[in-house]
Short mmCIF file of all heavy atoms in Angstrom, two decimals:
data_model
loop_
_atom_site.label_atom_id
_atom_site.label_comp_id
_atom_site.label_asym_id
_atom_site.label_seq_id
_atom_site.Cartn_x
_atom_site.Cartn_y
_atom_site.Cartn_z
N ARG A 1 -1.16 11.90 12.19
CA ARG A 1 -2.44 11.92 12.83
C ARG A 1 -2.31 11.45 14.27
O ARG A 1 -1.53 10.49 14.47
CB ARG A 1 -3.42 10.93 12.04
CG ARG A 1 -4.74 11.00 12.69
CD ARG A 1 -5.69 10.09 11.96
NE ARG A 1 -7.05 10.17 12.51
CZ ARG A 1 -8.11 9.62 12.03
NH1 ARG A 1 -8.08 9.03 10.89
NH2 ARG A 1 -9.25 9.84 12.60
N ILE A 2 -3.05 12.20 15.14
CA ILE A 2 -3.06 11.72 16.48
C ILE A 2 -4.55 11.84 16.96
O ILE A 2 -5.02 12.83 17.14
CB ILE A 2 -2.17 12.69 17.45
CG1 ILE A 2 -0.79 12.86 16.91
CG2 ILE A 2 -2.17 12.10 18.91
CD1 ILE A 2 -0.56 14.14 16.18
N GLY A 3 -5.14 10.70 16.92
CA GLY A 3 -6.65 10.72 17.16
C GLY A 3 -7.42 11.51 16.14
O GLY A 3 -7.31 11.36 14.95
N ASP A 4 -8.10 12.57 16.64
CA ASP A 4 -8.89 13.43 15.69
C ASP A 4 -8.15 14.67 15.29
O ASP A 4 -8.74 15.63 14.74
CB ASP A 4 -10.18 13.92 16.49
CG ASP A 4 -11.33 12.91 16.40
OD1 ASP A 4 -11.22 11.95 15.60
OD2 ASP A 4 -12.18 12.96 17.24
N PHE A 5 -6.76 14.63 15.46
CA PHE A 5 -5.99 15.74 15.13
C PHE A 5 -4.91 15.35 14.12
O PHE A 5 -4.41 14.24 14.15
CB PHE A 5 -5.24 16.42 16.31
CG PHE A 5 -6.21 16.99 17.26
CD1 PHE A 5 -6.77 16.28 18.30
CD2 PHE A 5 -6.42 18.34 17.26
CE1 PHE A 5 -7.66 16.86 19.29
CE2 PHE A 5 -7.29 18.96 18.13
CZ PHE A 5 -7.84 18.25 19.13
N TYR A 6 -4.67 16.20 13.12
CA TYR A 6 -3.64 16.06 12.13
C TYR A 6 -2.69 17.14 12.32
O TYR A 6 -3.08 18.38 12.45
CB TYR A 6 -4.21 16.09 10.67
CG TYR A 6 -5.01 14.91 10.44
CD1 TYR A 6 -6.30 14.78 10.82
CD2 TYR A 6 -4.49 13.92 9.54
CE1 TYR A 6 -7.05 13.69 10.42
CE2 TYR A 6 -5.29 12.76 9.18
CZ TYR A 6 -6.62 12.65 9.62
OH TYR A 6 -7.36 11.62 9.28
N VAL A 7 -1.38 16.94 12.26
CA VAL A 7 -0.26 17.91 12.43
C VAL A 7 0.59 17.79 11.15
O VAL A 7 1.08 16.72 10.97
CB VAL A 7 0.53 17.73 13.68
CG1 VAL A 7 1.66 18.70 13.72
CG2 VAL A 7 -0.36 17.76 14.87
N THR A 8 0.53 18.81 10.30
CA THR A 8 1.16 18.70 8.99
C THR A 8 1.97 19.92 8.56
O THR A 8 1.92 20.96 9.12
CB THR A 8 0.08 18.39 7.95
OG1 THR A 8 -0.60 19.61 7.59
CG2 THR A 8 -0.86 17.35 8.32
N ALA A 9 2.68 19.68 7.48
CA ALA A 9 3.25 20.77 6.63
C ALA A 9 2.18 21.42 5.90
O ALA A 9 1.00 20.96 5.93
CB ALA A 9 4.31 20.20 5.80
N GLN A 10 2.40 22.43 5.06
CA GLN A 10 1.44 23.08 4.18
C GLN A 10 0.76 21.96 3.25
O GLN A 10 1.45 21.43 2.42
CB GLN A 10 2.15 24.15 3.32
CG GLN A 10 1.14 24.80 2.27
CD GLN A 10 0.20 25.72 2.96
OE1 GLN A 10 0.47 26.57 3.77
NE2 GLN A 10 -1.03 25.49 2.65
N PRO A 11 -0.49 21.82 3.38
CA PRO A 11 -1.16 20.96 2.34
C PRO A 11 -1.06 21.48 0.92
O PRO A 11 -1.04 22.78 0.78
CB PRO A 11 -2.67 20.97 2.82
CG PRO A 11 -2.63 21.35 4.24
CD PRO A 11 -1.45 22.26 4.33
N THR A 12 -0.98 20.63 0.04
CA THR A 12 -0.95 21.08 -1.42
C THR A 12 -2.37 21.50 -1.73
O THR A 12 -3.31 21.02 -1.18
CB THR A 12 -0.51 20.04 -2.31
OG1 THR A 12 -1.35 18.84 -2.24
CG2 THR A 12 1.00 19.60 -1.99
N ASP A 13 -2.57 22.47 -2.80
CA ASP A 13 -3.80 22.93 -3.22
C ASP A 13 -3.86 22.75 -4.70
O ASP A 13 -2.90 23.18 -5.38
CB ASP A 13 -3.93 24.42 -2.79
CG ASP A 13 -5.32 24.97 -3.20
OD1 ASP A 13 -6.22 24.13 -3.37
OD2 ASP A 13 -5.43 26.21 -3.33
N PRO A 14 -4.91 22.16 -5.26
CA PRO A 14 -6.08 21.70 -4.46
C PRO A 14 -6.06 20.25 -4.05
O PRO A 14 -6.82 19.81 -3.22
CB PRO A 14 -7.22 21.87 -5.51
CG PRO A 14 -6.59 21.52 -6.86
CD PRO A 14 -5.13 22.10 -6.65
N GLU A 15 -5.08 19.51 -4.55
CA GLU A 15 -5.02 18.05 -4.27
C GLU A 15 -5.00 17.68 -2.82
O GLU A 15 -5.81 16.87 -2.31
CB GLU A 15 -3.89 17.39 -4.98
CG GLU A 15 -3.87 17.41 -6.48
CD GLU A 15 -3.39 18.83 -7.05
OE1 GLU A 15 -2.69 19.57 -6.31
OE2 GLU A 15 -3.58 19.14 -8.19
N GLY A 16 -4.14 18.28 -2.06
CA GLY A 16 -4.00 17.91 -0.68
C GLY A 16 -5.10 18.33 0.18
O GLY A 16 -5.63 17.59 1.01
N LEU A 17 -5.78 19.51 -0.23
CA LEU A 17 -6.98 19.90 0.48
C LEU A 17 -8.19 19.01 0.18
O LEU A 17 -8.96 18.65 1.13
CB LEU A 17 -7.30 21.31 0.20
CG LEU A 17 -6.25 22.33 0.60
CD1 LEU A 17 -6.56 23.77 0.18
CD2 LEU A 17 -6.02 22.29 2.17
N ASN A 18 -8.19 18.55 -1.11
CA ASN A 18 -9.25 17.63 -1.44
C ASN A 18 -9.05 16.22 -0.69
O ASN A 18 -10.04 15.63 -0.25
CB ASN A 18 -9.22 17.24 -2.93
CG ASN A 18 -9.72 18.41 -3.73
OD1 ASN A 18 -10.41 19.27 -3.27
ND2 ASN A 18 -9.34 18.50 -5.00
N VAL A 19 -7.81 15.77 -0.54
CA VAL A 19 -7.58 14.54 0.21
C VAL A 19 -7.91 14.79 1.67
O VAL A 19 -8.58 13.91 2.27
CB VAL A 19 -6.02 14.16 0.10
CG1 VAL A 19 -5.67 12.99 1.00
CG2 VAL A 19 -5.79 13.80 -1.32
N ALA A 20 -7.62 15.85 2.21
CA ALA A 20 -7.98 16.16 3.68
C ALA A 20 -9.46 16.12 3.90
O ALA A 20 -9.98 15.54 4.80
CB ALA A 20 -7.48 17.61 4.10
N HIS A 21 -10.31 16.66 2.90
CA HIS A 21 -11.70 16.62 2.84
C HIS A 21 -12.14 15.24 2.81
O HIS A 21 -12.99 14.80 3.53
CB HIS A 21 -12.29 17.42 1.78
CG HIS A 21 -13.68 17.53 1.75
ND1 HIS A 21 -14.40 16.70 0.91
CD2 HIS A 21 -14.57 18.23 2.50
CE1 HIS A 21 -15.76 16.92 1.10
NE2 HIS A 21 -15.85 17.87 2.08
N GLY A 22 -11.49 14.43 1.98
CA GLY A 22 -11.91 13.07 1.83
C GLY A 22 -11.57 12.22 2.98
O GLY A 22 -12.25 11.22 3.23
N LEU A 23 -10.64 12.63 3.82
CA LEU A 23 -10.32 11.92 5.12
C LEU A 23 -11.35 12.33 6.23
O LEU A 23 -11.23 11.75 7.34
CB LEU A 23 -8.91 12.30 5.61
CG LEU A 23 -7.72 11.76 4.73
CD1 LEU A 23 -6.48 12.37 5.20
CD2 LEU A 23 -7.68 10.27 4.81
N GLY A 24 -12.23 13.19 5.91
CA GLY A 24 -13.30 13.60 6.93
C GLY A 24 -12.88 14.74 7.75
O GLY A 24 -13.52 15.01 8.72
N ILE A 25 -11.72 15.38 7.44
CA ILE A 25 -11.28 16.58 8.23
C ILE A 25 -12.33 17.63 8.03
O ILE A 25 -12.68 17.98 6.89
CB ILE A 25 -9.84 16.99 7.74
CG1 ILE A 25 -8.85 15.85 8.20
CG2 ILE A 25 -9.44 18.35 8.42
CD1 ILE A 25 -7.48 15.97 7.63
N LYS A 26 -12.78 18.22 9.24
CA LYS A 26 -13.76 19.22 9.17
C LYS A 26 -13.30 20.66 9.35
O LYS A 26 -13.97 21.64 9.04
CB LYS A 26 -14.76 18.92 10.24
CG LYS A 26 -15.47 17.64 9.92
CD LYS A 26 -16.57 17.39 11.00
CE LYS A 26 -17.25 16.03 10.79
NZ LYS A 26 -18.17 15.66 11.89
N SER A 27 -12.01 20.75 9.88
CA SER A 27 -11.51 22.10 10.20
C SER A 27 -10.00 22.15 9.93
O SER A 27 -9.31 21.15 10.18
CB SER A 27 -11.74 22.46 11.64
OG SER A 27 -13.21 22.35 11.96
N VAL A 28 -9.55 23.36 9.63
CA VAL A 28 -8.13 23.56 9.40
C VAL A 28 -7.65 24.86 10.12
O VAL A 28 -8.30 25.84 10.07
CB VAL A 28 -7.80 23.67 7.86
CG1 VAL A 28 -6.40 24.11 7.68
CG2 VAL A 28 -8.14 22.36 7.16
N ILE A 29 -6.55 24.83 10.90
CA ILE A 29 -5.91 25.84 11.50
C ILE A 29 -4.58 26.06 10.79
O ILE A 29 -3.69 25.20 10.89
CB ILE A 29 -5.65 25.75 13.02
CG1 ILE A 29 -7.06 25.55 13.63
CG2 ILE A 29 -4.96 26.94 13.54
CD1 ILE A 29 -7.00 25.29 15.16
N CYS A 30 -4.43 27.20 10.17
CA CYS A 30 -3.12 27.59 9.60
C CYS A 30 -2.35 28.50 10.51
O CYS A 30 -2.88 29.45 10.99
CB CYS A 30 -3.39 28.32 8.23
SG CYS A 30 -1.90 29.00 7.42
N LEU A 31 -1.07 28.10 10.76
CA LEU A 31 -0.17 28.87 11.69
C LEU A 31 0.83 29.76 10.92
O LEU A 31 1.77 30.28 11.46
CB LEU A 31 0.54 27.87 12.65
CG LEU A 31 -0.45 26.91 13.42
CD1 LEU A 31 0.43 25.83 14.14
CD2 LEU A 31 -1.32 27.67 14.32
N ARG A 32 0.57 29.92 9.69
CA ARG A 32 1.54 30.61 8.76
C ARG A 32 1.18 32.17 8.62
O ARG A 32 0.02 32.52 8.69
CB ARG A 32 1.61 30.01 7.45
CG ARG A 32 1.94 28.53 7.49
CD ARG A 32 2.21 27.99 6.11
NE ARG A 32 3.52 28.59 5.61
CZ ARG A 32 3.89 28.40 4.36
NH1 ARG A 32 3.16 27.73 3.53
NH2 ARG A 32 5.02 28.96 4.03
N ASP A 33 2.26 32.90 8.49
CA ASP A 33 2.10 34.40 8.14
C ASP A 33 1.88 34.51 6.67
O ASP A 33 2.64 33.83 5.90
CB ASP A 33 3.41 34.98 8.63
CG ASP A 33 3.39 36.57 8.55
OD1 ASP A 33 2.76 37.08 7.59
OD2 ASP A 33 3.89 37.18 9.44
N ALA A 34 0.95 35.35 6.32
CA ALA A 34 0.70 35.57 4.93
C ALA A 34 1.88 35.99 4.05
O ALA A 34 1.94 35.93 2.91
CB ALA A 34 -0.45 36.52 4.79
N THR A 35 2.99 36.52 4.63
CA THR A 35 4.13 37.07 3.93
C THR A 35 5.08 35.86 3.68
O THR A 35 6.15 36.16 3.04
CB THR A 35 4.85 38.15 4.73
OG1 THR A 35 5.33 37.64 5.92
CG2 THR A 35 3.86 39.31 4.87
N GLU A 36 4.89 34.71 4.13
CA GLU A 36 5.90 33.65 4.00
C GLU A 36 6.02 33.20 2.50
O GLU A 36 5.01 32.88 1.91
CB GLU A 36 5.50 32.40 4.83
CG GLU A 36 5.60 32.66 6.35
CD GLU A 36 5.27 31.38 7.09
OE1 GLU A 36 5.56 30.16 6.61
OE2 GLU A 36 4.67 31.50 8.17
N GLN A 37 7.25 33.19 2.07
CA GLN A 37 7.55 32.69 0.74
C GLN A 37 7.98 31.35 0.71
O GLN A 37 8.18 30.67 1.79
CB GLN A 37 8.84 33.63 0.23
CG GLN A 37 8.52 35.07 0.17
CD GLN A 37 7.32 35.47 -0.77
OE1 GLN A 37 7.34 35.07 -1.88
NE2 GLN A 37 6.56 36.30 -0.20
N ALA A 38 8.01 30.68 -0.43
CA ALA A 38 8.44 29.29 -0.56
C ALA A 38 9.93 29.21 -0.21
O ALA A 38 10.69 30.07 -0.66
CB ALA A 38 8.24 28.88 -1.99
N ILE A 39 10.24 28.36 0.61
CA ILE A 39 11.69 27.96 0.92
C ILE A 39 11.77 26.45 0.68
O ILE A 39 11.42 25.63 1.58
CB ILE A 39 12.06 28.31 2.35
CG1 ILE A 39 11.87 29.76 2.58
CG2 ILE A 39 13.48 27.86 2.62
CD1 ILE A 39 12.08 30.24 4.00
N PRO A 40 12.11 26.06 -0.62
CA PRO A 40 12.11 24.60 -0.87
C PRO A 40 12.87 23.82 0.14
O PRO A 40 13.78 24.20 0.70
CB PRO A 40 12.75 24.57 -2.31
CG PRO A 40 12.55 25.95 -2.83
CD PRO A 40 12.57 26.89 -1.70
N PRO A 41 12.23 22.65 0.45
CA PRO A 41 11.15 22.00 -0.23
C PRO A 41 9.74 22.46 0.28
O PRO A 41 8.72 21.88 -0.09
CB PRO A 41 11.38 20.53 0.14
CG PRO A 41 11.86 20.62 1.64
CD PRO A 41 12.77 21.86 1.58
N TYR A 42 9.61 23.51 0.97
CA TYR A 42 8.33 23.93 1.59
C TYR A 42 7.71 24.94 0.67
O TYR A 42 8.32 25.78 0.05
CB TYR A 42 8.54 24.57 3.00
CG TYR A 42 9.26 23.49 3.84
CD1 TYR A 42 10.49 23.73 4.41
CD2 TYR A 42 8.68 22.35 4.20
CE1 TYR A 42 11.13 22.86 5.17
CE2 TYR A 42 9.39 21.35 4.99
CZ TYR A 42 10.56 21.63 5.46
OH TYR A 42 11.21 20.84 6.21
N LEU A 43 6.33 24.88 0.54
CA LEU A 43 5.58 25.69 -0.24
C LEU A 43 5.38 27.10 0.32
O LEU A 43 5.48 27.28 1.60
CB LEU A 43 4.14 25.09 -0.49
CG LEU A 43 4.20 23.64 -0.99
CD1 LEU A 43 2.73 23.13 -0.99
CD2 LEU A 43 4.64 23.70 -2.46
N ALA A 44 5.05 28.12 -0.48
CA ALA A 44 4.73 29.43 0.00
C ALA A 44 3.38 29.36 0.70
O ALA A 44 2.58 28.43 0.57
CB ALA A 44 4.67 30.36 -1.25
#
């Protein structure tokens, strides 16, 4: 977190997105390409 911005890896769904909502986050920008596969430890 940097002020009103969060910079993260892929949030988990639904738990991580629920947590983000609970933190008061109002907007999400995804920088991923829809064709990206999982490359452990990173999620698809």
Side-chain angles (χ1 to χ4, degrees):
R1 181 177 184 171
I2 311 103
D4 279 343
F5 292 87
Y6 290 76
V7 176
T8 76
Q10 174 73 49
T12 58
D13 181 23
E15 297 81 15
L17 298 176
N18 289 336
V19 171
H21 181 259
L23 291 171
I25 294 170
K26 296 179 181 175
S27 305
V28 173
I29 299 175
C30 173
L31 304 173
R32 300 190 71 190
D33 185 323
T35 64
E36 289 182 38
Q37 302 297 312
I39 301 174
Y42 306 113
L43 303 172

